[in-house]
Amino acid sequence: MPALCALILLVASCRKQAEQSEQANTVASDRHAVPEWKPVPPPDLSRCTRLEVTYWPSTFKTVCARPDEERLLNDAERKLLESLESPFVVDDVERIRAFADSIALASYKGRFSGAVAVKPVVHVACYHGSNCMTSVSIAGSTIFTRDGQRFAIKSSEGLEYLTPQTTPFELRVNCARNLSKMWNGMRRFAERGQGYPARDEWCDVLVRHERLRRHIGTYPVPWLTCPSAGEGHSHYAMNPNCGADSAGDMVLLFETRAGWNQHGGPELFTFDHHDPQGGCVLLNNGTVEFIRTEEELHALRWR
């Protein structure tokens, strides 16, 4: 009997040691395990009734994020933007709904820690009545929530032009950015030794090469349309007198009415897309200018 008891105790001891070893291995394994990826849904702002929008570092620097964009505004417009202090209150139902819908389409990209280091940033506090539901920060194509989540923007529609006070200037700047993107496409094409695309197919060429560059056959090319011009496939025309080796201050592309593969001179230019009236012009050196008068238009180099 004593031998049997000793054997039982020995088996129990061995079993306990095995269990302890297994527990230790499990803890060590858990310590080095990769956390399970659990996508988080974007904030639900469907009940939002008011937005408070703050531009950082300032309203002017948010609208004109790059130094070269400042030239698109005259002194009076610059002073106006500098005088506008945020936060701006947005209570327009359609603007709020568009904002909420765009947030709902964002895709989860994981957590972040610390402050948003890039600029400019648009901070948006979202209210239902007097209660602040949540807040988000928008920097480029990324949305940051106050609880440390990060989302990628799928559609900027509804996230731009939130405040009526700044919308005309944001539309102008985005129109100029479209022309800059087209200039990049024209230069990439010219670097292949073929010069600029032919005057009667330049839109087709830019679209085709952009789709090939992105390896997406149906990639939309929204930068062929002015964001404030309404419907149309393209709101820009090419100056056929401008080649890849022309003077840097010669007009290359400019705003016109809706069409496709349009080309010509100042007779095609339109002042009607923007408020205050005017239109954007791209020079052959990549500079974009905002033209306000007929005198300014005809003072440009067209030949």
Side-chain angles (χ1 to χ4, degrees), residues 32 34 64 99 118 127 148 176 187 238 248:
H32 298 287
V34 177
C64 299
F99 179 79
V118 297
Y127 288 82
R187 298 309 299 184
M238 178 182 180

Side-chain angles (χ1 to χ4, degrees), residues 22 29 58 63 143 160 167 203 211 219 244 275 282 289 293:
E22 183 178 353
S29 176
S58 68
V63 173
I143 300 170
E160 300 177 308
T167 294
C203 287
R211 288 174 175 170
Y219 174 73
D275 181 23
L282 171 73
E289 296 185 357
T293 66

